[in-house]
Amino acid sequence: MELIPGLPDDVARECLIRVAHQDFHTVASTCRNWKSEIQSPDFWRRRNAVGCTQTLILMTQAVYQGREFATTKYLASPTYRLTDFETATGNWSELNPNPGKSNGLPMFCQLVRVGSELVVLGGWDPATWSASNAVFIYNFLLNRWRRGADMPGVRRSFFACASDSDRTVFVAGGHDDHKNALRSAMVYNVAKDEWLSVADMARERDECKGLFHCGKFHVIGGYPTESQGRFESSAEAFDSSTWQWDQLSDEFLDAGMCPRTCVSGTDGLLYLCRDGEVAARHDATWKKVADLPSEVQKIAYVVAWGDKLLVIGSRIFGEPHTAYVLDTKRLTWTKMVVPEEFSTHVQSACSLEL
């Protein structure tokens, strides 16, 4: 059966790969052949080859409640929603309603991309403020949420999390309900909906940062139970090919530095924001590459994609957030237009190509 009646299938495929990501669920629901086509690896290879992929920055962002509450982080009971920023058009929008949560997304949940799906892990229940091990997965092709297998073990908060963008999510560290920092780690195969435990890290790491960098899951910074809030500078990396942890430098970061702005660039470098500047790690040394714009001196979140960094923040704490994009090749900044209803606090974010 022809994909599009009256057209050769190769021409029909050229039409389908140019569909906007917002229309994927309509295409998938039109007929079985179209659904099968857009779910095939060849479809995504062709779409990427002709430059039709669209990059989205997906965020857990506070619900807008008026200008006086624009940051919302400081409200007693903030409510978080899922929003997206289209990097090519500059459009901001609110995505499909939250997964079975009438009172918003879990606070402090983690977002990671796996293929064309978004995985939401953990966080605090916004009604009870109790930690959750729940996993929700949003399929952009079908415009549908599904429940994944819960994270096994103790309910953990402020853990490191990253994905290889293909099939696996990595989780490590954080703390339990008694504020005990954790060394344990695990991996989640999204397609199989299966969790596996891996060897413990060498150190306890609460409020650590997780990155998938150079083929390994990096866990950076954090602090042990007895050092509440005093960040350590070390890092370690899990190699899924050997199923072992590699110990990295004990001076991976500056002493006392919070690692939350650290991101992995596609150029093989790590980037972070510190003391009013953006620095890149090269040959085991952090070097300044650009000054931060004055309007984002207080950073809420940093996301990397391609050769770009999206920096979201404000001039001082308590002000509405704005956004700038750094071109890491040209080292130039571009200010983004942020509608007022999207100037609220961002807790987690990731990039996704569709």
Side-chain angles (χ1 to χ4, degrees), residues 63-196:
V63 172
Y64 181 72
Q65 299 186 28
R67 183 171 299 179
E68 65 273 26
F69 299 119
T71 59
T72 308
K73 176 183 179 181
Y74 304 101
L75 292 178
S77 301
T79 301
Y80 284 85
R81 57 189 167 154
L82 188 62
T83 62
D84 82 278
F85 168 65
E86 292 188 16
T87 61
T89 64
N91 291 334
W92 297 72
S93 61
E94 189 167 343
L95 290 186
N96 199 40
N98 303 322
K101 298 287 184 179
S102 60
N103 52 355
L105 285 170
M107 297 172 59
F108 311 116
C109 63
Q110 299 270 13
L111 303 184
V112 293
R113 164 235 172 163
V114 176
S116 59
E117 296 187 314
L118 173 70
V119 184
V120 181
L121 303 99
W124 292 3
D125 186 293
T128 65
W129 287 35
S130 59
S132 169
N133 278 353
V135 175
F136 296 94
I137 303 157
Y138 182 65
N139 186 306
F140 279 86
L141 303 186
L142 304 179
N143 191 30
R144 184 184 305 160
W145 286 98
R146 70 178 186 273
R147 182 73 183 263
D150 285 358
M151 291 185 289
V154 299
R155 297 179 184 272
R156 64 181 70 212
S157 303
F158 299 102
F159 50 87
C161 184
S163 88
D164 61 3
S165 298
D166 181 25
R167 66 182 65 185
T168 305
V169 178
F170 302 86
V171 168
H175 69 251
D176 63 17
D177 287 339
H178 302 289
K179 291 288 288 184
N180 296 308
L182 302 171
R183 297 170 54 211
S184 57
M186 50 193 161
V187 298
Y188 177 51
N189 185 306
V190 177
K192 294 182 178 179
D193 194 26
E194 179 181 71
W195 286 95
L196 293 174

Side-chain angles (χ1 to χ4, degrees), residues 204-222:
E204 297 175 343
R205 296 184 185 274
D206 193 4
E207 292 196 55
C208 45
K209 180 62 182 275
L211 300 172
F212 195 77
H213 179 67
C214 295
K216 297 180 181 181
F217 172 48
H218 286 58
V219 183
I220 302 171

Side-chain angles (χ1 to χ4, degrees), residues 102-330:
S102 60
N103 52 355
L105 285 170
M107 297 172 59
F108 311 116
C109 63
Q110 299 270 13
L111 303 184
V112 293
R113 164 235 172 163
V114 176
S116 59
E117 296 187 314
L118 173 70
V119 184
V120 181
L121 303 99
W124 292 3
D125 186 293
T128 65
W129 287 35
S130 59
S132 169
N133 278 353
V135 175
F136 296 94
I137 303 157
Y138 182 65
N139 186 306
F140 279 86
L141 303 186
L142 304 179
N143 191 30
R144 184 184 305 160
W145 286 98
R146 70 178 186 273
R147 182 73 183 263
D150 285 358
M151 291 185 289
V154 299
R155 297 179 184 272
R156 64 181 70 212
S157 303
F158 299 102
F159 50 87
C161 184
S163 88
D164 61 3
S165 298
D166 181 25
R167 66 182 65 185
T168 305
V169 178
F170 302 86
V171 168
H175 69 251
D176 63 17
D177 287 339
H178 302 289
K179 291 288 288 184
N180 296 308
L182 302 171
R183 297 170 54 211
S184 57
M186 50 193 161
V187 298
Y188 177 51
N189 185 306
V190 177
K192 294 182 178 179
D193 194 26
E194 179 181 71
W195 286 95
L196 293 174
S197 295
V198 302
D200 288 351
M201 295 183 292
R203 307 187 188 198
E204 297 175 343
R205 296 184 185 274
D206 193 4
E207 292 196 55
C208 45
K209 180 62 182 275
L211 300 172
F212 195 77
H213 179 67
C214 295
K216 297 180 181 181
F217 172 48
H218 286 58
V219 183
I220 302 171
Y223 50 82
T225 304
E226 67 273 12
S227 302
Q228 290 289 321
R230 298 195 297 274
F231 287 93
E232 297 187 347
S233 56
S234 65
E236 46 195 301
F238 179 74
D239 188 337
S240 57
S241 65
T242 63
W243 218 245
Q244 293 181 342
W245 288 96
D246 299 329
Q247 300 309 305
L248 305 179
S249 170
D250 282 343
E251 298 180 353
F252 197 87
L253 297 174
D254 295 340
M257 177 180 291
C258 174
R260 66 184 177 85
T261 67
C262 193
V263 295
S264 176
T266 56
D267 55 7
L269 301 179
L270 293 175
Y271 293 88
L272 60 74
C273 299
R274 62 176 186 184
D275 301 327
E277 66 182 32
V278 178
R281 183 177 171 86
H282 183 69
D283 293 334
T285 302
W286 292 99
K287 297 181 179 179
K288 172 184 172 181
V289 295
D291 289 314
L292 279 170
S294 60
E295 290 182 278
V296 288
Q297 290 291 309
K298 302 302 181 183
I299 305 295
Y301 215 84
V302 180
V303 187
W305 84 96
D307 55 4
K308 306 288 195 302
L309 299 182
L310 175 69
V311 178
I312 300 172
S314 56
R315 185 176 59 87
I316 60 175
F317 288 121
E319 286 190 347
H321 288 162
T322 189
Y324 278 79
V325 171
L326 176 66
D327 185 317
T328 57
K329 289 184 177 179
R330 300 178 180 178

